[in-house]
Structure formats: structure tokens, C-alpha cells
Amino acid sequence: RKEVEQDPGPFNVPEGATVAFNCTYSNSASQSFFWYRQDCRKEPKLLMSVYSSGNEDGRFTAQLNRASQYISLLIRDSKLSDSATYLCVVTGLHGYNKLIFGAGTRLAVHP
Amino acid sequence: DGGITQSPKYLFRKEGQNVTLSCEQNLNHDAMYWYRQDPGQGLRLIYYSQIVNDFQKGDIAEGYSVSREKKESFPLTVTSAQKNPTAFYLCASSTPTGTGELFFGEGSRLTVL
């Protein structure tokens, strides 16, 4: 079993749609959780951290369910510029020294 | 502008050759990392360094070597012992307080012919 699993997609959605990505992780001791965004053939960049109580940043909402070891990302009112791969990231056994990356979920927003 | 610079962006090498990828940062970060990305897979950690003159193996260190002689620099050598070196290599750095944010360079794409 992979340490971090994501649906690879692609998710093809029209502009303005709401889309949700899910991620599961295997290490119950993981303490920190993140969503990164990676544009095609570019480097990943931090999108947002995921807090236990859930958190929102504009059109983006992240949720964490520790009991189910499950993280989600919701994007509302999708824009063309949201097209990218979204990487779920959790800390491994050695804290911040070892971030475990999921393979990513690809989103394509069309007009 | 502060950031991480990787070079070269694209590199071709013949089998059996060693190649060194450069990574320089001016963010004054103590921790630096090398990741490898293959299609359909998550980033995998090759090596990381928390301070100068110290580094640790990650999950896939075999066939790679690093050095950390200066805080700003963390070069990665892909040796001929690496069986499948064609990949996208990403260098990153982070602050010691560990917010979890990694700052990545633009990557180096290595192709073995």
C-alpha cells in the first residue's frame, strides 16, 4: 500500500464548477498535512496547509479526518488557471525532514 | 530575489557517465533536499541535509551522492550505478522551524541516452 494515495484523475470540469479531491494516508502518526500545486513540467508550490479543524483560503477548502486518515481539497468556482496537478503531502516518521508526496490528482478546467 | 536555482534545466548523458546537478539557494535556509519525480509517481526523497557538512540518505539514495560544504549549495551527483536515472530532479529547501513548506527550484530534467 502506498503511504499517500490519490485518485490520479484527470478531473475535467467546466469553469465555475465545484470539484473535490481526496487523499488517504497510511501512517497514523503523521502530524502535518499539506496540499501542493504543480503546473505541467514545473516545480510544486505550497497551496495550503491542512488543519485539524479544516481551513479555507478563498475558493479553496481543506479538510482533515484523522480517524479515517483522509484529507480533502474542495475548489469552488473553478477557473481556467486552476488547471494543474494537486499533490497531497503528509509528514513521515521523521517529521518535517521527510514529507511524503502523493502522486497527484490532475485537474483540467475547460471553458 | 530570493530563491533556489537549479542547473542545468535539461541534461542528456550517455550510459555509464556521472553527472552533477547544481542547486544553490539564497534563502538562508539550513535544510536542503533532493527529490526525484517520475511520471505517475509522487516525489521521492533521495538525500537531505539539515546543516552544513551533514546529510542523510532518503528513500532512494542508491546510485546518488551529495555534498554540503556550504550552506547555499547542495549538489547532487547521479552516478553510473543508478540503474534508471532518467527523471525530473527537484531541489528544495526549508526553514528549520518546519512550517512544512518546501521551496523548490525549477528542476533539472535528466535524460540518459
Side-chain angles (χ1 to χ4, degrees):
Chain A
R1 182 185 173 188
K2 290 182 180 178
E3 292 184 84
V4 178
E5 296 207 59
Q6 297 182 249
D7 182 339
F11 285 60
N12 293 300
V13 302
E15 275 186 289
T18 296
V19 61
F21 305 138
N22 301 322
C23 167
T24 57
Y25 60 95
S26 61
N27 182 5
S28 59
S30 292
Q31 292 295 315
S32 299
F33 310 89
F34 312 91
W35 285 100
Y36 276 71
R37 170 192 168 129
Q38 186 174 24
D39 292 315
C40 188
R41 300 179 75 84
K42 298 284 191 181
E43 74 276 21
K45 293 183 180 178
L46 180 66
L47 178 66
M48 60 195 302
S49 301
V50 185
Y51 301 122
S52 296
S53 55
N55 49 297
E56 193 173 299
D57 183 0
R59 298 181 293 109
F60 299 83
T61 301
Q63 297 280 351
L64 169 65
N65 183 324
R66 285 188 187 271
S68 301
Q69 294 178 210
Y70 169 99
I71 305 160
S72 66
L73 177 68
L74 182 78
I75 305 176
R76 291 182 299 278
D77 188 23
S78 298
K79 311 292 184 191
L80 295 175
S81 57
D82 293 334
S83 297
T85 297
Y86 291 84
L87 308 177
C88 175
V89 183
V90 306
T91 50
L93 292 174
H94 300 289
Y96 293 114
N97 291 334
K98 190 172 179 181
L99 295 180
I100 310 297
F101 285 77
T105 298
R106 194 153 62 89
L107 171 65
V109 181
H110 57 83
Chain B
D1 276 340
I4 298 184
T5 302
Q6 287 187 241
S7 63
K9 273 194 171 181
Y10 300 95
L11 185 61
F12 298 87
R13 78 153 215 218
K14 295 181 180 178
E15 279 191 28
Q17 289 180 334
N18 292 354
V19 62
T20 296
L21 307 180
S22 169
C23 178
E24 302 280 330
Q25 56 105 352
N26 60 5
L27 298 168
N28 201 33
H29 288 167
D30 288 304
M32 296 186 74
Y33 312 80
W34 273 104
Y35 286 89
R36 169 183 172 140
Q37 188 174 33
D38 295 281
Q41 295 193 43
L43 276 68
R44 291 183 290 167
L45 184 63
I46 304 173
Y47 269 97
Y48 67 97
S49 168
Q50 292 180 274
I51 56 172
V52 174
N53 292 322
D54 185 55
F55 49 82
Q56 284 79 42
K57 293 182 178 179
D59 298 317
I60 54 165
E62 186 174 349
Y64 299 98
S65 66
V66 293
S67 63
R68 188 84 187 276
E69 297 176 2
K70 298 186 300 181
K71 187 175 183 177
E72 303 80 20
S73 178
F74 192 40
L76 173 74
T77 297
V78 185
T79 75
S80 56
Q82 170 48 234
K83 298 304 179 192
N84 187 20
T86 295
F88 187 43
Y89 290 89
L90 287 156
C91 179
S93 69
S94 69
T95 62
T97 53
T99 61
E101 182 172 9
L102 291 180
F103 296 83
F104 285 91
E106 293 185 337
S108 294
R109 201 166 293 275
L110 172 63
T111 303
V112 174
L113 305 172

